[in-house]
Amino acid sequence: MASKFELYGYGVFTTIAVVGDEPFRWESHWRRLTANAQAIAIDLSLYPKTSTYTTLLQALRAKNIVNGKARITFSDQRLSPLWMDTPPPCETALTIIAGEGRHVPDRFRLSISPYTVNSRSPLVGIKSCNYVENILTLDEAKGRGFDEAVRVNEKGEITSGAMANLFWLKDGVLVTPTLATGCLPGTTREFILENLDCHEVEAPIGELDAADAIFLTSAGLGVAEVAEFDGRKLRPSCHPIKSILPWAS
């Protein structure tokens, strides 16, 4: 019989940047993982923070990853109660994969996705393994020749990209969507908010038409500056967001 993970993608994950042999922002990633697991009732009692970190380092060394990324996944291996009368005790599996960093195009092209985010979904703010919508959003954008796409929520407010958080500049002011819009609380987003002046807003998609610069951020991308938004070419910015990460050039 298939597990809840195999049947429904019942799990949580995080992708963590690796810089000079070290996982970047480990504490932030662990805090989000445990909060997300608790929110959807995944038991992590067999996976203390220290031992999970050790397992992560072993996975990085086994693949000789010095600068790259790793994905940590906790998946619910119980059988679904829809398929049996008495579900077994909690059973969670840990999977870690490691690899090189994501390629960032020299001229990053961004569009607007036709697929909206439901800001009232029970999965809002949770990085669950049910990522089909995100993949479809990215594939649709790439099918039109773009590298990523902005998603809006049911109210028409900017949320994020398919696989990244979103920031933009207007008249020298850095802004990003609030979590209330339905965007994911990314760890790179958190790092930027801790270290730069930034306004969290609930803004309509039209705000991007007047933006002076647009940036996508994630552990895999780092900070990627958008060169073209739906056909409008943007001038390169000198804002410190571009160099805030330890591996930024």
Side-chain angles (χ1 to χ4, degrees), residues 112-113 115-117 150-154 156-160 205:
I112 300 172
S113 175
Y115 307 139
T116 59
V117 171
V150 182
R151 300 181 73 187
V152 300
N153 62 19
E154 74 282 2
E157 298 167 337
I158 303 165
T159 62
S160 62
I205 189 63

Side-chain angles (χ1 to χ4, degrees), residues 110-118 133-146 148-157 159-162 205 229-230:
L110 183 68
S111 182
I112 300 172
S113 175
Y115 307 139
T116 59
V117 171
N118 177 10
E133 277 194 15
N134 304 70
I135 297 295
L136 289 175
T137 298
L138 187 63
D139 286 349
E140 190 278 335
K142 287 183 177 292
R144 291 188 287 120
F146 293 93
E148 250 278 18
V150 182
R151 300 181 73 187
V152 300
N153 62 19
E154 74 282 2
K155 294 179 280 188
E157 298 167 337
T159 62
S160 62
I205 189 63
F229 175 57
D230 258 357

Side-chain angles (χ1 to χ4, degrees), residues 60-92:
L60 296 175
R61 275 110 229 186
K63 294 292 292 289
N64 294 315
I65 302 299
V66 176
N67 296 296
K69 62 184 179 181
R71 171 173 161 148
I72 304 169
T73 304
F74 288 108
S75 55
D76 192 330
Q77 298 298 308
R78 292 174 294 175
L79 301 182
S80 168
L82 299 177
W83 291 92
M84 61 185 303
D85 295 331
T86 307
C90 293
E91 184 179 344
T92 304

Side-chain angles (χ1 to χ4, degrees), residues 2 38 70 80 86 101 122 133 141 175 182 192 194 249:
Q38 183 177 18
S80 168
T86 307
E133 277 194 15
V175 291
I192 291 168
E194 289 173 356
S249 56

